[in-house]
Every structure is written in structure tokens, then in C-alpha cells.
């Protein structure tokens, strides 16, 4: 099992960070791992549904949203076509801090499977997660000042 985590504290409440996080049409503008996003991430009730909204690269089978708990947690599971070859579990946790006007955002990815050691580039992913967190923070903080 390989895991990477990145934290950031954001000067915006969790609901504003959540809105920035689920603005999927903007991901190609700021996310270094995602170039295109298609589909719907979360249904109107906040439940899980199959979605290609989180695909980092085109695949025949897209990720499955396994948790959507506004404004606290968003998670999905993705795998290379064969189970246990390369399985990814990606999640965002939003925690109110201080008086609730700020948010601590955790982004975590856990990779398992026979190919995990070959495909998991910890240094590259850590840089990408830090950049993603900073971009989410910037977008959320702009929403506060707008």
C-alpha cells in the first residue's frame, strides 16, 4: 500500500471550499493531474453514483464516487481494469477550524495492488497535491472576497 497526504488551511468556511471543490468544470484550469472532466460527480441528493467526473486520464471504466458528504468529505475509488492490479482510493476531508470561518483541507490518495509500486510516484504526486490544495484554497478565498 502506498499513500500520499497533503494538508492546507484555507481562509474560507467549509461550505465555500466544498463549492470550489465540486466545481468540476474548472478542474482543467488548475488541477495538474486532470485535463478533462466529464459527467456528473454527485447526484442531487448527495448520494453516490458512477461517474467519469474524476477521471485523471481516459479509461474504459471510470471512478466510482463512494462518499459525498457536503461539506465534509468527497471520496472515489478507481481501478485499472483488473481488480487488485492498481486500485486508487482518493479523498478530500474538510474540517472547520477556529470559529468555522476557516477550513483545514486534507487530500489523500491510497494506492494498492500488484502494479502500485511501479506506477506510484510519491514525489510527483505530493507536488501535484500541494499545487491542487493551493489552487482550491485560492479559488475558495476568492469566493469570499468576491
Amino acid at each position: 500500500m502506498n499513500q500520499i497526504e497533503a494538508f492546507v488551511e484555507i481562509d474560507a468556511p467549509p461550505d465555500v471550499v466544498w463549492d470550489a471543490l465540486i466545481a468540476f468544470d474548472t478542474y482543467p484550469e488548475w488541477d495538474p493531474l486532470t485535463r478533462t472532466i466529464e459527467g456528473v460527480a454527485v447526484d442531487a441528493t448527495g448520494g453516490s453514483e458512477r461517474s467519469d467526473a474524476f477521471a485523471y486520464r481516459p479509461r474504459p471504466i471510470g471512478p466510482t464516487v463512494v462518499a459525498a458528504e457536503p461539506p465534509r468529505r468527497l471520496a472515489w475509488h478507481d481501478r485499472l481494469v483488473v481488480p487488485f492490479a492498481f486500485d486508487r482510493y482518493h479523498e478530500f476531508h474538510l474540517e472547520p477550524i477556529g470559529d468555522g470561518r476557516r477550513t483545514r483541507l486534507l487530500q489523500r490518495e491510497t494506492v494498492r495492488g500488484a502494479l502500485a509500486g511501479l506506477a506510484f510516484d510519491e514525489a510527483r504526486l505530493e507536488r501535484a497535491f500541494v499545487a491542487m490544495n493551493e489552487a482550491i484554497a485560492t479559488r475558495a478565498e476568492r469566493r469570499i472576497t468576491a
Side-chain angles (χ1 to χ4, degrees), residues 87-142:
D87 293 355
R88 298 183 321 154
Y89 181 78
H90 196 100
E91 59 189 321
F92 293 93
H93 289 267
L94 292 75
E95 175 188 347
I97 55 176
D99 58 0
R101 294 183 189 181
R102 301 184 72 230
T103 304
R104 179 176 295 118
L105 174 68
L106 161 65
Q107 182 177 185
R108 175 186 303 138
E109 184 162 286
T110 305
V111 179
R112 296 181 177 145
L115 301 176
L118 300 172
F120 188 80
D121 183 342
E122 184 174 354
R124 183 181 74 80
L125 280 175
E126 185 173 6
R127 286 190 305 273
F129 284 14
V130 167
M132 289 168 64
N133 285 358
E134 290 173 0
I136 293 166
T138 298
R139 289 182 173 278
E141 290 168 357
R142 278 190 202 145

Side-chain angles (χ1 to χ4, degrees), residues 2-139:
N2 297 290
Q3 189 172 76
I4 189 83
E5 292 183 337
F7 291 88
V8 67
E9 291 189 3
I10 303 172
D11 291 326
D15 60 327
V16 174
V17 176
W18 178 265
D19 289 344
L21 182 63
I22 63 167
F24 300 118
D25 59 327
T26 68
Y27 272 46
E29 298 170 16
W30 58 268
D31 183 337
L33 299 176
T34 305
R35 293 295 169 229
T36 61
I37 296 180
E38 298 175 1
V40 177
V42 182
D43 68 20
T45 63
S48 299
E49 67 179 46
R50 189 116 179 113
S51 170
D52 291 332
F54 303 107
Y56 288 135
R57 59 184 81 88
R59 293 199 177 112
I61 299 172
T64 301
V65 174
V66 295
E69 303 165 15
R72 299 178 347 198
R73 181 171 172 246
L74 178 65
W76 63 85
H77 179 260
D78 191 14
R79 68 172 27 130
L80 200 56
V81 178
V82 179
F84 307 111
F86 187 79
D87 293 355
R88 298 183 321 154
Y89 181 78
H90 196 100
E91 59 189 321
F92 293 93
H93 289 267
L94 292 75
E95 175 188 347
I97 55 176
D99 58 0
R101 294 183 189 181
R102 301 184 72 230
T103 304
R104 179 176 295 118
L105 174 68
L106 161 65
Q107 182 177 185
R108 175 186 303 138
E109 184 162 286
T110 305
V111 179
R112 296 181 177 145
L115 301 176
L118 300 172
F120 188 80
D121 183 342
E122 184 174 354
R124 183 181 74 80
L125 280 175
E126 185 173 6
R127 286 190 305 273
F129 284 14
V130 167
M132 289 168 64
N133 285 358
E134 290 173 0
I136 293 166
T138 298
R139 289 182 173 278

